[in-house]
Each structure stands twice: as structure tokens, then as C-alpha cells.
Amino acid sequence: MNSITRIIVLAAFCQFFSLPALAETDAWHKIALDKTHVVSLVSDPARASTLYAATSLGLLKSLDGGASWDSLGEALPRDIPPSAVAISRYNSKELYVGYDGLGLFKSSDGGQSWQSMNDGLPNTSVRCIAINPLNPNLVYLGILGGVAISTNAGRFWHMSSGFKRTVNVNTIAINPQDPQYLYAGTGGAGVFKSGNSGVSWKDVNEGLSSLSITALHVDPENPDVVLAGAYHPATPTDVYVGEASGGVFRSQDGGQSWQESSLLNIHIFSLAADPSQANLVYAGAWGGIYRSADKGLSWMDVNAGLDNAFPHTIHVLSSNPPVLLAGTTFGLLSYTDVSLDMPEQGRDISPLLIICGIGGVSLAALSVLLWLRLRGRRARDEGRRPVW
């Protein structure tokens, strides 16, 4: 294939494939599940494009990064939607799905069959699920009244100590370097910490101005850095005693004390990090989605194209650049964070993307390139140097 033919083929390829996709990368756009409430998203640890979602339609599975979904709920309860979903990092076929009122169900065959796993639970109000990253048999549930622990992969549960019976545990985060340390976010009692694999807990609330914790994140590089996302009341009449503001709070000493970040006076739904860039964290909040490039110290919004004020869950697919998925009240949205595609940080930029137009080189521009090529060849054939 000569050089002129290569340019023609490249132009056609760009026109039909590259440009439409690039036009949407720097803005949020809906990709699936229209008018569906998405509350939880997780990836298969062996294949990130395989996703599981807890939604108002039940438990769903995607094999193509969220573009299309199939139901896994034929053998699951249909009375109420699931509240949480988790997957074992050691066995992709081992799934857990929780319900706020119906307890926990487990599949050991990738969702083909399910078994109720409520033995020992004092109630069936499951808010969140966490699995020990080094021991898949050690599973935690956030429920009404505290944290339930299973040491045999869900077959039996017992309650930990340190919580009041009326406290809801909304979220659990585990120190990935030393899983004996865990954090639990509660609705009204603040953050609790355990240093003995969840057996007992103690509140660690110094510096928090909101005690309704909705999301937690532990820095994988420096686990002393912990982020807590908090509830912010919608109106002054909703302000609880001792709660002045919501937003993201940051601890640099493993939860012993907390400081305000730049993202305050806003209700936080979720926190998520890029698995390949520990300094990069995203927050889903009432009214938008925010990004921090300094481990939660400062934040800026990434709301271009966002038409939904309720991003209940954020999931980051590690890629170059990172791809964000947002589960909202009205469907699943996607955003490619092209502003972080920086070659000076060791990222690779495809020559095809350069030619096809980051920013939008069209077929007409490539036609000019072809014309210049032909013009230069004609000049050389005539024994003259080309002007261009």
C-alpha cells in the first residue's frame, strides 16, 4: 500500500470511527439503563469491563463496560431492589447482593443460582458489603445496629461491638495494606474505626462537623489518609444537633482527627478512586461530580454535559485517560477524563488519535493533507522544490 492510499484509508477510518467517539469523551453522556435508578457498581477484578449493578430493575450484569446489560435476578427477590453488590477479588464467580429488608444472597457460579445467607443476622437491613482483600472468607455487612462479620464467606454471621442498636452503618472501607484496620460510616454517629479486623469499634469524630457519613475512601498508597463524605441537609430545618455541614473531610492520621477539604456544604453520595493513580479521587454529590488530583485536599467539578443531579455511585475504569461511570436516578452515564491524558506523566498518545484529531480533525482536513502530498510530488517530478 503506497503512502497516498494509506492517507485515504486513514481518512476514511477517522471519519467513520474516531470522530463520533471523541466528540463525547469530554462530556457526560448516557450510555444505558434509561430511567433506571443505579445505586451500586462493581467490576470483575479479572476483567474490568465486566460490571455488576444494583438497580431499580434488580441485579444486572454487563460484559461491555456498561453499554448493554442483562438481568441476574431470576432467582433473586423481586419485591424490592437490591441495596448493594460485592464481588470477591479471588473468585469472580463469587458474588454477594444485599437488600434493605431481605438480607444477603450469595452466588458461587457467577449469578446463575443464589442462596440466602442470613444465618445469625439480627436484622435484614443490609446497607453495604465489604470483603477482606487478603481473606475472601472474611466478609462484613453494614446493617441497622452496626457491623456483622462472617469468617466463613457468609454462612454464619455475628455482630461486632461498639455500635448502638439504632445506628445504621452506611459504608465500610478497609485498609488495603493492613486489613485489620477498617472504617465504618454511620447515619448520625460519625466514623468508627476497628483495629482488630472488625471485632470491636470506636468512634473517631474529632474535627467532623457532620456525623452522617455516606462514603469512605482509604488511600491505597498511604492508608493514613482517609476521606469521609458526609450528608448535608437540604434545608435549615433538617439540620441535626451537632451537624453544621456536609462535604468531604480528610484525615492524615488514620482517623484520629479530621480536616475540611475544599468541597463543603454539599451532600456527598459516593467516593471513588482511579486504581492506577492513587492521588486521583472522584466524589459524586448532590448537584454534580467533582475531581481531586491531590488525594482529596482540593476539588473541581467535572460536570460538562451532566444533566442529572443525583449521581448515587461512581465507578472508575482505569485506562488512558480514565473512564468514569456514574449510576444516577435516571440511568448510567459515562465520562472520559481527557484532561488527564498527559504524555509527560508517561502516558502513551496514539498517533492515530493525533492524526484523527484530538479536538476534531475532519475528513476535509485530511483531504488538504492529501492535496499537499500530491502537490509536493508534482513539484519534485518537475525538478522544482515544493512551496509547502
Side-chain angles (χ1 to χ4, degrees), residues 107-148:
S107 175
S108 298
D109 53 16
Q112 296 182 44
S113 61
W114 296 88
Q115 181 181 1
S116 175
M117 309 293 282
N118 293 333
D119 193 8
L121 286 180
N123 63 75
T124 55
S125 179
V126 175
R127 300 299 185 89
C128 61
I129 308 166
I131 305 172
N132 185 293
L134 301 182
N135 179 6
N137 290 317
L138 192 53
V139 186
Y140 303 91
L141 298 183
I143 65 174
L144 175 62
V147 174

Side-chain angles (χ1 to χ4, degrees), residues 181-214:
Y181 293 99
L182 301 91
Y183 300 86
T186 70
V191 177
F192 285 71
K193 182 178 181 179
S194 173
N196 54 9
S197 299
V199 175
S200 61
W201 299 77
K202 183 180 179 180
D203 62 278
V204 285
N205 294 330
E206 182 181 341
L208 289 177
S209 59
S210 174
L211 298 181
S212 290
I213 307 302
T214 53

Side-chain angles (χ1 to χ4, degrees), residues 58 81 140 239 259 298 301 374:
Y140 303 91
V239 176
Q259 298 80 41
S298 58
D301 70 82
L374 291 171

Side-chain angles (χ1 to χ4, degrees), residues 323-348:
V323 174
L324 280 67
L325 299 178
T328 75
T329 305
F330 305 109
L332 183 66
L333 282 67
S334 177
Y335 179 94
T336 303
D337 207 343
V338 294
S339 63
L340 297 172
D341 188 18
M342 298 175 288
E344 62 270 19
Q345 294 184 352
R347 296 176 178 271
D348 296 325

Side-chain angles (χ1 to χ4, degrees), residues 68-90:
S68 61
W69 295 83
D70 294 311
S71 174
L72 290 178
E74 288 78 6
L76 288 170
R78 299 184 180 183
D79 299 334
I80 61 174
S83 55
V85 58
I87 183 170
S88 170
R89 64 184 300 177
Y90 289 94

Side-chain angles (χ1 to χ4, degrees), residues 31-33 41-53 59-72 87 92-93 95 109-112 317 325 332:
I31 60 171
L33 304 179
L41 282 169
V42 296
S43 273
D44 186 324
R47 183 181 174 87
S49 60
T50 297
L51 301 166
Y52 297 87
L59 183 64
L60 306 179
K61 180 179 181 179
S62 172
L63 298 175
D64 52 13
S68 61
W69 295 83
D70 294 311
S71 174
L72 290 178
I87 183 170
S92 297
K93 293 184 179 295
L95 302 168
D109 53 16
Q112 296 182 44
L317 299 177
L325 299 178
L332 183 66

